[in-house]
Amino acid sequence: MYLYDLNKDGLLINGRIFQNDRGTDGIKIDKQGNVFTTSQGGVWIYNKKGTLLGKIKIEGSTSNCAFADNYKTLFITADNYLLKVDLAKKAGQ
């Protein structure tokens, strides 16, 4: 996956590697600019600079993800499953 800047004319410039997982499929970006990508073993979450923040581990292959309108819920398609993840809860709750 690559990251680009936009110039004043809206053209892509300064292409660079953002994340080097060749198995990435579905990609979504939340309101904070965090990138959610589906890959082998689940959903990988990166900040806008490409630093891995965490993973939602899922057995099998994941193919896509989508946010609910409020960005508090993430839906994930994986093999024969449709999964719903509540993102609004804080760790430890």
Side-chain angles (χ1 to χ4, degrees):
M1 206 172 11
Y2 289 86
L3 174 69
Y4 294 88
D5 297 318
L6 292 176
N7 70 10
K8 62 181 173 140
D9 299 319
L11 299 175
L12 300 175
I13 58 172
N14 302 325
R16 56 207 178 271
I17 293 176
F18 173 77
Q19 180 260 66
N20 199 21
D21 178 17
R22 293 187 181 126
T24 297
D25 191 3
I27 301 169
K28 297 294 181 278
I29 301 172
D30 70 9
K31 289 181 179 181
Q32 291 77 35
N34 297 314
V35 179
F36 290 66
T37 66
T38 57
S39 188
Q40 277 293 65
V43 178
W44 297 37
I45 305 162
Y46 299 88
N47 68 14
K48 58 178 104 179
K49 294 185 179 187
T51 302
L52 181 64
L53 300 175
K55 299 176 187 177
I56 301 171
K57 293 184 180 182
I58 300 168
E59 291 199 24
S61 297
T62 55
S63 57
N64 215 331
C65 61
F67 291 106
D69 290 341
N70 60 12
Y71 286 87
K72 294 179 182 177
T73 304
L74 180 70
F75 294 95
I76 304 164
T77 55
D79 286 335
N80 297 324
Y81 303 103
L82 173 60
L83 306 164
K84 178 182 171 187
V85 178
D86 184 359
L87 300 174
K89 292 187 178 184
K90 297 179 182 177
Q93 290 185 339

